[in-house]
Amino acid sequence: MTDFSALLQPDRGQPARFIEVVHPDQFENWLTKQPPRIRSVVGAHKITGKPGNRALLPGDGPEDWHALLICNEAENSPWRIASQGDVLPEGTYRLKDGAVGAAGLGWMLAQHRFDRYRKPEPEAPRVLLSGDPARIEETVRLAEATAKVRDLVNTGASDLGPAELEDEAAALAATHGATLTVTRGDALAQGFPMIHIVGQAATRQRAPRLIELEWGDPAHPRLAVIGKGVCFDSGGLDIKPSAGMRLMKKDMGGAAHALALAGLIMGSRLKVRLHLLIPAVENAIAGNAFRPGDILPTRAGLTVENTNTDAEGRLILGDALTKAGEAKPDLILDFATLTGAARVALGPDLPATFANDDAIGDAMLAAGREVLDPLWRLPLWDGYDEMLKSDIADMVNAPEGGFAGSITAALFLRRFVPKDTPWVHLDTFAWRPVAKPGRPKGGEALGLRASWAMLKARYSGG
């Protein structure tokens, strides 16, 4: 994994080239103040002041140069200088003006590569100096957590199944002195029937399980973090078309977010009693696959008429939410790549956010705005709850017609959350379809930084 700590260092006055960031609105004014040699180079590079324009500009001596970037990103944006992080020559840099701030995150992530399946080209590091050394450790942890989500989501399903998610949780537990519990086999079938039923068609090596990790002082507020861990989703007997199945290795993106967030919580020693739950399955097709029309028992004692085997994520989350609620947590937060309807409504960048408590919902949105990790809240509209009615069971898992698909999925999950427990559900894409500076195409952490900022404010006041 990338050594992020080597890429962001305290500024102690050591030799470094500088990066000059100019806003497009200030470009003409900036250019008029430059000496002729600079104006000549700017013209030769056809720098017009458009966002993203960049060049290396000469100094007084033959080896003296600095970098110019035209940028309209906000000064608190993590992505402000990310376009420089992977294109500048090897060396050490500092900003000419202003503090590094959040931009250190994008600088580091721009140099991260997912290279599990191909030999990477050797690259020398580009080091950024920061005048705010107290912020470096936190920024490095955020880079590591973001890269963890990206790497897990990018990994092919052939190399990442329920057992590998268990290994990830076990490694976290070993690092931070947490307790790991894994329920599988007959115990899973009896205690968490929906997790077992969804995953029962997979091979023995990819058998379903509920992975739980507990950490922290029992006297601290209990926080449950849940991540949907469908390691591959064929759609089951309601099989997806090939185009719809192409990216289904990422259907464990919720688990990736939950694991990364758990690492941040424990690494920062947040004052909570953490309960991490990952229902891990493969939604496979075999003679014993669950069927449309099956009536499914649940840990909560409710019955579910299965109307669509491709609406399996909400089933496994239902049992995990029930287990989390039994311990009476102060807050439940779940991540899931749950519905295509959320993507139709909000596109790839905005996780659909649901909350049964307005104060916590507002706090999530405010945290997302603060760290530029945007969320968009959708309603738990009670009027749509009737869409979950079944003629023969307590509810269906997927209403007919497809109206308000992300909302009805969230309403289904709400049935398994204790009424007096604050709960937030993030329906996230976990994927970036088009590359941007510091954000390559592929697996992506969406909602992770917002959630972390909210939790820090809630449990440590900062």
Side-chain angles (χ1 to χ4, degrees):
M1 190 167 182
T2 305
D3 180 9
F4 290 110
S5 63
L7 304 179
L8 187 62
Q9 293 288 314
D11 191 343
R12 300 187 176 93
Q14 58 266 57
R17 303 187 188 278
F18 66 83
I19 301 171
E20 188 168 12
V21 182
V22 177
H23 193 277
D25 294 345
Q26 301 298 319
F27 175 72
E28 292 297 335
N29 182 53
W30 172 86
L31 189 61
T32 61
K33 298 177 181 178
Q34 303 308 307
R37 70 177 186 277
I38 297 293
R39 293 199 298 270
S40 176
V41 171
V42 167
H45 282 83
K46 298 182 179 179
I47 303 297
T48 63
K50 180 180 178 181
N53 283 172
R54 59 179 182 244
L56 300 181
L57 302 181
D60 295 329
E63 298 299 322
D64 185 17
W65 56 266
H66 71 275
L68 169 69
L69 174 65
I70 310 300
C71 176
N72 61 353
E73 292 270 3
E75 289 195 7
N76 65 334
S77 171
W79 318 113
R80 188 172 180 232
I81 58 172
S83 62
Q84 299 288 80
D86 64 346
V87 298
L88 288 175
E90 167 192 1
T92 302
Y93 298 86
R94 63 167 56 90
L95 292 182
K96 182 179 180 182
D97 299 302
V100 169
L105 177 65
W107 176 272
M108 291 187 287
L109 288 172
Q111 299 182 63
H112 175 65
R113 301 288 182 272
F114 177 67
D115 54 16
R116 177 167 182 162
Y117 298 112
R118 59 185 176 188
K119 185 177 181 180
E121 295 291 331
E123 288 188 86
R126 303 161 187 90
V127 179
L128 183 65
L129 302 180
S130 171
D132 186 7
R135 187 169 181 168
I136 291 176
E137 184 179 355
E138 163 89 352
T139 307
V140 168
R141 280 200 295 263
L142 280 172
E144 291 171 344
T146 302
K148 172 62 72 174
V149 175
R150 292 178 179 181
D151 288 354
L152 287 173
V153 174
N154 284 330
T155 300
S158 56
D159 296 311
L160 200 155
E164 286 72 28
L165 284 181
E166 179 182 331
D167 291 344
E168 289 287 337
L172 265 182
T175 298
H176 298 287
T179 300
L180 184 72
T181 303
V182 181
T183 307
R184 55 170 72 85
D186 290 341
L188 187 74
Q190 294 169 14
F192 304 93
M194 287 199 291
I195 300 173
H196 168 75
I197 289 166
V198 169
Q200 67 187 3
T203 63
R204 185 166 58 87
Q205 293 78 11
R206 300 175 74 85
R209 63 205 70 192
L210 177 65
I211 304 160
E212 296 180 81
L213 177 152
E214 295 218 29
W215 171 90
D217 187 340
H220 289 157
R222 190 172 185 86
L223 168 66
V225 176
I226 304 173
K228 172 188 168 186
V230 178
C231 297
F232 189 80
D233 182 17
S234 68
L237 293 177
D238 289 309
I239 191 169
K240 294 179 183 286
S242 58
M245 215 183 295
R246 171 66 178 85
L247 290 181
M248 283 302 100
K249 68 177 184 179
K250 78 172 189 66
D251 213 20
M252 39 57 65
H257 281 74
L259 285 162
L261 183 59
L264 285 169
I265 290 167
M266 294 186 289
S268 300
R269 303 200 67 79
L270 196 67
K271 293 183 178 181
V272 297
R273 176 64 173 178
L274 174 65
H275 186 194
L276 172 69
L277 303 97
I278 297 176
V281 304
E282 178 172 347
N283 189 15
I285 299 172
N288 63 335
F290 74 125
R291 296 163 292 265
D294 283 355
I295 306 301
L296 312 181
T298 71
R299 181 177 180 86
L302 300 169
T303 55
V304 177
E305 180 185 0
N306 177 45
T307 51
N308 187 346
T309 64
D310 196 21
E312 83 298 332
R314 66 199 69 181
L315 299 174
I316 65 172
L317 288 171
D319 275 351
L321 285 163
T322 301
K323 178 62 186 297
E326 290 167 1
K328 303 188 184 305
D330 180 69
L331 173 66
I332 299 176
L333 173 60
D334 81 70
F335 298 87
T337 52
L338 202 62
T339 67
R343 309 287 68 80
V344 172
L346 300 176
D349 291 350
L350 292 171
T353 304
F354 298 85
N356 65 355
D357 178 276
D358 285 338
I360 194 68
D362 291 345
M364 283 291 293
L365 297 188
R369 288 191 295 269
E370 177 188 352
V371 299
L372 298 186
D373 186 19
L375 308 172
W376 197 267
R377 192 172 175 192
L378 293 181
L380 288 163
W381 186 250
D382 290 332
Y384 294 157
D385 207 48
E386 65 182 15
M387 294 184 185
L388 295 173
K389 287 182 179 178
S390 167
D391 294 332
I392 57 175
D394 291 318
M395 67 184 112
V396 299
N397 64 327
E400 295 180 2
F403 284 152
S406 61
I407 296 175
T408 55
L411 290 171
F412 178 92
L413 296 181
R414 189 175 68 171
R415 299 281 185 99
F416 301 92
V417 177
K419 292 184 183 299
D420 58 349
T421 300
W423 162 64
V424 179
H425 161 57
L426 270 68
D427 189 338
T428 185
F429 194 38
W431 190 263
R432 185 166 296 282
V434 178
K436 295 182 179 181
R439 292 153 287 178
K441 179 180 178 180
E444 183 60 294
L446 297 165
L448 175 68
R449 290 184 295 111
S451 299
W452 173 233
M454 181 276 292
L455 292 176
K456 282 197 301 176
R458 184 178 178 90
Y459 294 113
S460 64

XYZ file of all heavy atoms in Angstrom, residues 289-364:
545
model
N -30.639 -21.928 -4.536
C -30.794 -20.470 -4.435
C -32.200 -20.116 -3.972
O -33.172 -20.808 -4.296
C -30.504 -19.823 -5.786
N -32.302 -19.032 -3.208
C -33.644 -18.618 -2.796
C -34.420 -18.102 -4.006
O -33.840 -17.651 -4.985
C -33.587 -17.620 -1.650
C -33.158 -16.210 -1.968
C -33.976 -15.149 -1.615
C -31.924 -15.921 -2.556
C -33.590 -13.838 -1.861
C -31.529 -14.625 -2.804
C -32.365 -13.575 -2.467
N -35.734 -18.179 -3.921
C -36.587 -18.010 -5.098
C -37.556 -16.843 -4.923
O -37.945 -16.514 -3.797
C -37.403 -19.292 -5.332
C -36.583 -20.509 -5.651
C -37.402 -21.773 -5.460
N -37.708 -22.001 -4.049
C -36.995 -22.778 -3.248
N -35.959 -23.436 -3.723
N -37.327 -22.923 -1.970
N -38.002 -16.258 -6.021
C -39.129 -15.323 -5.945
C -40.352 -16.049 -5.386
O -40.653 -17.183 -5.771
C -39.351 -14.909 -7.406
C -38.054 -15.186 -8.088
C -37.471 -16.383 -7.400
N -41.029 -15.424 -4.462
C -42.197 -16.035 -3.836
C -41.895 -16.751 -2.540
O -42.826 -17.100 -1.792
N -40.616 -16.986 -2.240
C -40.270 -17.589 -0.949
C -40.662 -16.642 0.188
O -40.560 -15.416 0.062
C -38.768 -17.854 -0.866
C -38.334 -19.083 -1.653
O -39.217 -19.775 -2.191
O -37.119 -19.333 -1.742
N -41.070 -17.216 1.294
C -41.345 -16.439 2.501
C -40.154 -16.615 3.438
O -39.831 -17.740 3.847
C -42.637 -16.899 3.199
C -43.794 -16.871 2.205
C -42.926 -15.997 4.400
C -44.078 -15.523 1.581
N -39.508 -15.511 3.751
C -38.253 -15.558 4.493
C -38.479 -15.194 5.958
O -39.103 -14.161 6.253
C -37.247 -14.584 3.887
C -37.058 -14.630 2.367
C -36.013 -13.613 1.931
C -36.668 -16.034 1.911
N -37.970 -16.005 6.877
C -37.975 -15.606 8.278
C -36.864 -14.587 8.525
O -35.930 -14.447 7.726
C -37.692 -16.923 9.015
C -36.873 -17.716 8.043
C -37.360 -17.334 6.665
N -36.954 -13.864 9.607
C -35.946 -12.860 9.947
C -35.575 -12.975 11.412
O -36.315 -13.532 12.223
C -36.467 -11.435 9.695
O -37.458 -11.117 10.680
C -37.094 -11.291 8.306
N -34.437 -12.395 11.770
C -34.028 -12.387 13.168
C -35.025 -11.605 14.010
O -35.244 -11.922 15.195
C -32.629 -11.772 13.306
C -32.102 -11.752 14.737
C -30.683 -11.215 14.827
N -30.203 -11.213 16.199
C -29.627 -12.230 16.825
N -29.468 -13.376 16.182
N -29.212 -12.133 18.077
N -35.661 -10.602 13.421
C -36.608 -9.758 14.148
C -37.949 -10.439 14.384
O -38.799 -9.893 15.097
C -36.822 -8.451 13.393
N -38.169 -11.602 13.768
C -39.441 -12.295 13.933
C -40.471 -11.937 12.883
O -41.554 -12.537 12.846
N -40.183 -11.001 12.010
C -41.061 -10.654 10.907
C -40.889 -11.662 9.771
O -39.903 -12.406 9.724
C -40.736 -9.250 10.398
C -40.871 -8.108 11.407
C -40.256 -6.825 10.848
C -42.328 -7.895 11.762
N -41.841 -11.675 8.859
C -41.706 -12.509 7.659
C -41.690 -11.604 6.436
O -42.353 -10.566 6.390
C -42.867 -13.504 7.538
O -44.112 -12.792 7.576
C -42.815 -14.528 8.656
N -40.907 -12.025 5.444
C -40.728 -11.224 4.227
C -41.065 -12.084 3.017
O -40.504 -13.179 2.835
C -39.280 -10.703 4.110
C -39.093 -9.943 2.798
C -38.912 -9.825 5.299
N -41.989 -11.592 2.191
C -42.253 -12.242 0.906
C -41.217 -11.738 -0.092
O -41.151 -10.540 -0.393
C -43.654 -11.899 0.409
C -43.978 -12.565 -0.924
C -45.323 -12.140 -1.489
O -46.012 -11.310 -0.842
O -45.685 -12.623 -2.575
N -40.381 -12.661 -0.564
C -39.325 -12.273 -1.500
C -39.921 -12.096 -2.895
O -40.298 -13.067 -3.539
C -38.215 -13.325 -1.524
C -37.148 -12.967 -2.534
O -36.715 -11.826 -2.599
N -36.748 -13.937 -3.343
N -39.999 -10.866 -3.347
C -40.546 -10.579 -4.674
C -39.463 -10.366 -5.712
O -39.760 -10.266 -6.903
C -41.441 -9.329 -4.616
O -40.716 -8.262 -3.982
C -42.717 -9.619 -3.836
N -38.193 -10.302 -5.276
C -37.103 -10.080 -6.218
C -35.800 -10.520 -5.566
O -35.374 -9.926 -4.583
C -37.036 -8.600 -6.615
C -36.032 -8.323 -7.718
O -35.183 -9.149 -8.035
N -36.117 -7.144 -8.311
N -35.159 -11.542 -6.128
C -33.897 -12.017 -5.549
C -32.755 -11.025 -5.777
O -31.692 -11.175 -5.183
C -33.504 -13.381 -6.140
O -33.251 -13.243 -7.543
C -34.597 -14.415 -5.916
N -32.980 -10.018 -6.630
C -31.966 -8.994 -6.845
C -32.124 -7.831 -5.866
O -31.402 -6.847 -5.953
C -32.037 -8.478 -8.290
C -30.790 -7.722 -8.705
O -29.742 -7.923 -8.064
O -30.854 -6.927 -9.666
N -33.041 -7.937 -4.946
C -33.173 -6.968 -3.855
C -32.705 -7.634 -2.578
O -33.399 -7.652 -1.561
C -34.610 -6.472 -3.741
N -31.491 -8.205 -2.660
C -30.969 -9.030 -1.573
C -30.234 -8.228 -0.510
O -30.137 -8.650 0.644
C -30.043 -10.112 -2.135
C -28.602 -9.702 -2.410
C -28.436 -8.606 -3.450
O -29.297 -8.487 -4.348
O -27.448 -7.861 -3.370
N -29.687 -7.068 -0.885
C -28.900 -6.305 0.069
C -29.696 -5.879 1.279
O -29.221 -5.941 2.416
N -30.933 -5.463 1.054
C -31.775 -5.022 2.174
C -32.128 -6.190 3.093
O -32.380 -5.989 4.288
C -33.030 -4.340 1.638
C -33.981 -5.235 0.881
C -34.945 -4.472 -0.008
N -34.246 -3.859 -1.144
C -34.851 -3.116 -2.074
N -36.151 -2.881 -1.991
N -34.168 -2.605 -3.068
N -32.138 -7.408 2.540
C -32.435 -8.577 3.367
C -31.324 -8.833 4.373
O -31.575 -8.978 5.570
C -32.644 -9.803 2.477
C -33.806 -9.733 1.478
C -33.798 -10.967 0.570
C -35.142 -9.616 2.206
N -30.098 -8.865 3.887
C -28.994 -9.158 4.813
C -28.792 -8.005 5.795
O -28.437 -8.221 6.961
C -27.694 -9.500 4.065
C -27.159 -8.318 3.257
C -27.913 -10.709 3.146
C -25.781 -8.562 2.664
N -29.039 -6.779 5.340
C -28.934 -5.644 6.255
C -30.011 -5.696 7.336
O -29.780 -5.255 8.470
C -29.042 -4.334 5.484
C -27.834 -3.948 4.620
C -28.171 -2.755 3.739
C -26.612 -3.649 5.486
N -31.184 -6.233 6.998
C -32.254 -6.331 7.992
C -31.837 -7.121 9.208
O -32.058 -6.698 10.357
N -31.215 -8.281 8.988
C -30.754 -9.079 10.128
C -29.630 -8.379 10.890
O -29.561 -8.440 12.123
C -30.274 -10.456 9.650
C -31.404 -11.463 9.504
O -32.535 -11.166 9.926
O -31.151 -12.554 8.946
N -28.718 -7.707 10.163
C -27.614 -7.006 10.832
C -28.135 -5.822 11.644
O -27.666 -5.564 12.766
C -26.596 -6.540 9.794
N -29.107 -5.094 11.107
C -29.701 -3.979 11.852
C -30.392 -4.473 13.123
O -30.313 -3.824 14.183
C -30.698 -3.231 10.970
C -30.106 -2.329 9.895
C -31.164 -1.976 8.849
C -29.525 -1.056 10.509
N -31.068 -5.608 13.015
C -31.724 -6.179 14.198
C -30.706 -6.480 15.279
O -30.894 -6.139 16.457
C -32.490 -7.454 13.821
O -33.468 -7.137 12.821
C -33.185 -8.046 15.028
N -29.609 -7.122 14.897
C -28.570 -7.457 15.878
C -27.976 -6.194 16.489
O -27.774 -6.101 17.713
C -27.467 -8.279 15.212
C -26.302 -8.637 16.146
C -26.750 -9.501 17.326
C -25.636 -9.733 18.344
N -24.486 -10.461 17.805
N -27.704 -5.195 15.666
C -27.140 -3.951 16.185
C -28.082 -3.300 17.186
O -27.660 -2.809 18.243
C -26.842 -2.996 15.031
N -29.373 -3.303 16.882
C -30.347 -2.651 17.741
C -30.536 -3.319 19.087
O -30.939 -2.664 20.054
N -30.244 -4.616 19.154
C -30.427 -5.351 20.415
C -29.519 -4.835 21.523
O -29.838 -4.974 22.704
C -30.170 -6.840 20.166
C -31.247 -7.496 19.324
C -30.852 -8.881 18.813
O -29.735 -9.352 19.126
O -31.668 -9.469 18.076
N -28.389 -4.226 21.143
C -27.455 -3.713 22.147
C -27.749 -2.269 22.536
O -26.975 -1.662 23.274
C -26.023 -3.818 21.614
N -28.862 -1.719 22.030
C -29.300 -0.362 22.358
C -28.209 0.681 22.104
O -27.782 1.405 23.016
C -29.789 -0.293 23.815
C -30.926 -1.268 24.127
C -31.499 -1.040 25.505
C -32.574 -2.074 25.843
N -33.646 -2.141 24.842
N -27.779 0.790 20.874
C -26.711 1.749 20.566
C -27.201 3.190 20.615
O -28.400 3.476 20.489
C -26.301 1.375 19.133
C -27.532 0.776 18.542
C -28.202 0.043 19.676
N -26.255 4.101 20.766
C -26.546 5.532 20.716
C -26.843 5.968 19.278
O -27.601 6.920 19.057
C -25.338 6.305 21.256
C -25.537 7.803 21.236
O -26.364 8.285 22.026
O -24.883 8.478 20.411
N -26.264 5.256 18.303
C -26.438 5.592 16.889
C -26.138 4.364 16.051
O -25.205 3.608 16.366
C -25.487 6.728 16.498
C -25.396 7.109 15.016
C -26.716 7.691 14.520
C -24.265 8.109 14.786
N -26.894 4.184 14.988
C -26.613 3.168 13.970
C -26.354 3.895 12.659
O -27.131 4.755 12.247
C -27.779 2.176 13.789
C -28.071 1.417 15.080
C -27.464 1.189 12.666
C -29.294 0.494 14.989
N -25.262 3.534 11.999
C -24.900 4.102 10.709
C -24.614 2.962 9.751
O -23.774 2.105 10.042
C -23.660 4.991 10.872
C -22.996 5.572 9.622
C -23.952 6.454 8.844
C -21.745 6.352 10.014
N -25.334 2.914 8.636
C -25.068 1.836 7.674
C -24.737 2.397 6.300
O -25.201 3.472 5.908
C -26.240 0.854 7.597
C -27.390 1.309 6.722
O -27.225 1.345 5.495
O -28.471 1.622 7.262
N -23.876 1.650 5.599
C -23.468 1.971 4.233
C -23.878 0.814 3.332
O -23.659 -0.356 3.673
C -21.949 2.115 4.126
C -21.355 3.224 4.943
C -21.003 3.013 6.264
C -21.126 4.469 4.391
C -20.421 4.017 7.025
C -20.557 5.488 5.139
C -20.200 5.259 6.453
N -24.417 1.134 2.173
C -24.816 0.068 1.248
C -24.880 0.595 -0.176
O -25.373 1.699 -0.422
C -26.183 -0.496 1.648
N -24.375 -0.204 -1.103
C -24.619 0.044 -2.527
C -25.964 -0.599 -2.825
O -26.032 -1.697 -3.362
C -23.503 -0.585 -3.373
O -23.358 -1.963 -2.996
C -22.175 0.118 -3.163
N -27.043 0.113 -2.479
C -28.309 -0.585 -2.334
C -29.208 -0.528 -3.556
O -29.755 -1.547 -3.971
C -29.066 -0.048 -1.113
C -30.103 -1.008 -0.541
C -29.468 -2.294 -0.054
C -30.881 -0.347 0.585
N -29.388 0.658 -4.164
C -30.406 0.753 -5.209
C -29.919 1.522 -6.428
O -29.244 2.555 -6.306
C -31.683 1.468 -4.695
O -31.393 2.834 -4.414
C -32.236 0.774 -3.460
N -30.312 1.040 -7.601
C -30.106 1.805 -8.817
C -30.958 3.060 -8.828
O -30.603 4.061 -9.465
N -32.076 3.028 -8.101
C -32.962 4.192 -8.058
C -32.245 5.410 -7.474
O -32.498 6.551 -7.889
C -34.207 3.875 -7.235
N -31.361 5.198 -6.505
C -30.614 6.319 -5.933
C -29.700 6.947 -6.975
O -29.505 8.164 -7.011
C -29.807 5.849 -4.723
N -29.129 6.122 -7.840
C -28.248 6.651 -8.880
C -29.044 7.386 -9.952
O -28.589 8.394 -10.498
C -27.446 5.521 -9.509
C -26.719 4.629 -8.522
C -25.506 5.278 -7.886
N -25.759 6.378 -6.989
C -26.140 6.254 -5.706
N -26.342 5.074 -5.176
N -26.319 7.320 -4.954
N -30.208 6.884 -10.278
C -31.063 7.583 -11.244
C -31.443 8.952 -10.697
O -31.435 9.958 -11.420
C -32.324 6.746 -11.555
C -33.308 7.554 -12.398
C -31.937 5.459 -12.277
N -31.763 9.014 -9.421
C -32.183 10.276 -8.811
C -31.031 11.246 -8.623
O -31.172 12.445 -8.868
C -32.862 9.997 -7.468
N -29.871 10.751 -8.187
C -28.804 11.629 -7.718
C -27.492 11.465 -8.466
O -26.542 12.212 -8.194
C -28.558 11.392 -6.216
C -29.754 11.640 -5.297
C -29.404 11.285 -3.860
C -30.212 13.083 -5.382
N -27.388 10.518 -9.392
C -26.134 10.316 -10.093
C -25.091 9.644 -9.222
O -25.362 9.227 -8.096
N -23.850 9.554 -9.727
C -22.827 8.770 -9.018
C -22.199 9.466 -7.824
O -21.661 8.802 -6.940
C -21.771 8.525 -10.105
C -21.922 9.692 -11.034
C -23.390 10.016 -11.044
N -22.242 10.806 -7.759
C -21.454 11.519 -6.759
C -22.143 11.715 -5.418
O -21.467 11.968 -4.415
C -21.080 12.912 -7.283
C -20.092 12.861 -8.434
O -19.548 11.773 -8.704
O -19.874 13.911 -9.066
N -23.470 11.636 -5.386
C -24.210 11.995 -4.183
C -24.841 10.771 -3.530
O -25.823 10.231 -4.041
C -25.321 12.995 -4.518
C -24.879 14.392 -4.958
C -26.081 15.179 -5.462
C -24.199 15.129 -3.825
N -24.318 10.299 -2.407
C -24.987 9.227 -1.684
C -26.356 9.680 -1.180
O -26.484 10.748 -0.568
C -24.044 8.933 -0.515
C -22.708 9.437 -0.961
C -23.012 10.643 -1.807
N -27.361 8.891 -1.468
C -28.688 9.170 -0.921
C -28.639 8.899 0.579
O -28.246 7.811 1.014
C -29.728 8.289 -1.594
N -29.043 9.885 1.358
C -28.907 9.816 2.810
C -30.284 9.856 3.458
O -31.087 10.740 3.172
C -28.053 10.990 3.313
O -26.789 10.976 2.629
C -27.828 10.898 4.810
N -30.535 8.880 4.315
C -31.812 8.778 5.027
C -31.512 8.797 6.520
O -30.539 8.191 6.979
C -32.537 7.482 4.670
C -32.898 7.352 3.217
C -31.982 6.855 2.298
C -34.159 7.733 2.757
C -32.315 6.737 0.950
C -34.496 7.621 1.423
C -33.576 7.118 0.508
N -32.371 9.451 7.270
C -32.203 9.497 8.723
C -33.571 9.524 9.385
O -34.483 10.203 8.904
C -31.386 10.720 9.136
N -33.702 8.786 10.479
C -34.961 8.785 11.221
C -34.989 9.849 12.299
O -35.920 9.919 13.097
C -35.222 7.401 11.841
C -34.194 7.024 12.899
O -33.212 7.746 13.128
N -34.395 5.883 13.542
N -33.953 10.692 12.314
C -33.819 11.746 13.305
C -33.297 12.985 12.575
O -32.218 12.955 11.980
C -32.841 11.306 14.399
C -32.597 12.361 15.451
O -31.732 13.229 15.216
O -33.258 12.313 16.484
N -34.064 14.080 12.610
C -33.678 15.262 11.843
C -32.365 15.863 12.315
O -31.576 16.365 11.503
C -34.782 16.322 11.909
C -35.973 15.978 11.036
O -35.793 15.177 10.091
O -37.070 16.487 11.300
N -32.106 15.812 13.598
C -30.866 16.402 14.111
C -29.657 15.675 13.547
O -28.685 16.304 13.099
C -30.857 16.370 15.645
N -29.700 14.346 13.543
C -28.551 13.602 13.014
C -28.489 13.716 11.495
O -27.407 13.779 10.906
C -28.594 12.121 13.473
C -27.235 11.437 13.219
C -29.693 11.339 12.786
C -26.136 11.956 14.078
N -29.650 13.793 10.833
C -29.649 13.998 9.390
C -29.038 15.333 9.021
O -28.213 15.433 8.102
N -29.406 16.388 9.744
C -28.830 17.713 9.491
C -27.330 17.719 9.776
O -26.553 18.360 9.056
C -29.526 18.763 10.358
C -30.974 19.014 9.950
O -31.348 18.599 8.824
O -31.722 19.606 10.752
N -26.920 17.017 10.820
C -25.496 16.963 11.159
C -24.695 16.268 10.062
O -23.572 16.682 9.744
C -25.305 16.234 12.497
N -25.255 15.221 9.480
C -24.580 14.536 8.381
C -24.393 15.467 7.189
O -23.306 15.548 6.596
C -25.378 13.306 7.960
C -25.226 12.118 8.884
S -23.575 11.368 8.826
C -23.553 10.699 7.165
